Amino acid sequence: MDRILRGKVWRFGDGISTDHITPGRYYHLRGDLKALAEHALEDADPEFARKAQPGDFVVAGKNFGQGSSREHAPLVLKERGIQAVLAQSFARIFFRNAVNVGLVPIICDTEGFETGDEIEVDLEEGRVQNLTRGFERSFTPLPPIMRAILQALGKEIYVEDEDALDMATAVSGTGPTYVFLMMEALVEAAVHLGFSRRVARELVIQTVLGSALFARESGRHLAELRNMVTSPGGTSAEAIYQLEKGGLRTIISKAVWAAYQKSKLLGEMSSKKGLRSTSPLESPGIPTEGLEKRGV
């Protein structure tokens, strides 16, 4: 992802929900992101659905992305080629999902921006320049971990079966939660052994990072990689024995299945709710406070 982003603005107000971004009446298209993206934000601005171009920006007011927790909303904006969403505040779950799928969310003062303005965003310096109107806004750059996720998400996988989107949500969309929990547990175990929390955290991060990079670059089956680093009768073998004895695989499988079922349920609820027309000034679904109040 480039450090400097430049493009034109599509301006929206407060309370833009996921139902405005992906209207529920098109829920049957959720397996075809390209088709679903043709209707993005059409209830809030029909012109956007017809004329938005790759490289454009969405600029909004408060609580952008409130409502459903499903990832279709940021996915369709990314499918339309939107580089970033600038808003005074975001629904917490939308913000997280946007980062997960590679759509840049920026919290900043959006007063004064209008549709058609040309802007330039410096992601590292935390600066937005309105080249049309001649003013500048500052923002707090995303934390390094979020920038790393956005940098890593260069590959998109398209699926024909709409059910695969729920499966992807359970595996990939929710995946960082599984990884962070495992990392947290490793840090706590290292602290219990006697490491300082700072050293334990760095050890775990480097271990996970190195393992992921090796798995990607080697192209080998994960079981083969595990066997490569597991000596018979060694420390890894003993640790794996305890993990298997504790039912780690079963627990992970149950967690992914539960996330999958939840994703399907939320989708069905969103579909039923989205059958009615809503105004951008309404707050359908469960309102979520902005990130500047609750944090990520």
Side-chain angles (χ1 to χ4, degrees), residues 107-128:
I107 300 173
C108 69
D109 179 6
T110 56
E111 291 295 327
F113 291 88
E114 298 294 340
T115 295
D117 289 355
E118 186 171 359
I119 64 173
E120 183 176 280
V121 178
D122 188 323
L123 295 176
E124 291 189 11
E125 294 294 329
R127 184 175 65 250
V128 182

Side-chain angles (χ1 to χ4, degrees), residues 87-145:
Q88 292 184 36
S89 63
F90 287 89
R92 180 172 57 89
I93 295 177
F94 179 91
F95 188 94
R96 184 198 68 184
N97 285 341
V99 173
N100 284 349
V101 304
L103 177 68
V104 180
I106 295 173
I107 300 173
C108 69
D109 179 6
T110 56
E111 291 295 327
F113 291 88
E114 298 294 340
T115 295
D117 289 355
E118 186 171 359
I119 64 173
E120 183 176 280
V121 178
D122 188 323
L123 295 176
E124 291 189 11
E125 294 294 329
R127 184 175 65 250
V128 182
Q129 289 183 295
N130 190 314
L131 304 176
T132 300
R133 302 181 186 276
F135 64 80
E136 182 175 303
R137 298 281 188 266
S138 62
F139 63 91
T140 301
L142 293 174
I145 181 62

Side-chain angles (χ1 to χ4, degrees), residues 45-99:
D45 184 352
E47 291 295 301
F48 177 89
R50 292 194 293 267
K51 298 181 180 179
Q53 297 295 316
D56 287 350
F57 293 90
V58 166
V59 178
K62 299 176 182 178
N63 209 11
F64 186 88
Q66 64 181 3
S68 169
S69 64
R70 295 174 61 79
E71 293 180 313
H72 292 74
L75 279 170
V76 298
L77 292 179
K78 188 179 180 186
E79 173 66 26
R80 287 305 298 258
I82 297 302
Q83 296 192 81
V85 178
L86 288 68
Q88 292 184 36
S89 63
F90 287 89
R92 180 172 57 89
I93 295 177
F94 179 91
F95 188 94
R96 184 198 68 184
N97 285 341
V99 173

Side-chain angles (χ1 to χ4, degrees), residues 199-249:
V199 172
R201 183 177 185 275
E202 188 62 24
L203 281 172
V204 171
I205 289 175
Q206 292 302 320
T207 299
V208 173
L209 178 61
S211 300
L213 290 174
F214 183 49
R216 185 182 67 180
E217 297 301 324
S218 70
R220 297 183 177 183
H221 194 285
L222 295 177
E224 183 181 359
L225 296 179
R226 175 174 55 79
N227 287 332
M228 288 172 57
V229 296
T230 304
S231 302
T235 58
S236 295
E238 182 63 26
I240 288 175
Y241 172 76
Q242 294 298 330
L243 291 172
E244 297 285 16
K245 184 179 178 181
L248 178 65
R249 293 175 190 266

Side-chain angles (χ1 to χ4, degrees), residues 159-171:
V159 293
E160 297 294 335
D161 182 2
E162 65 180 38
D163 192 51
L165 289 175
D166 291 311
M167 292 187 282
T169 297
V171 175

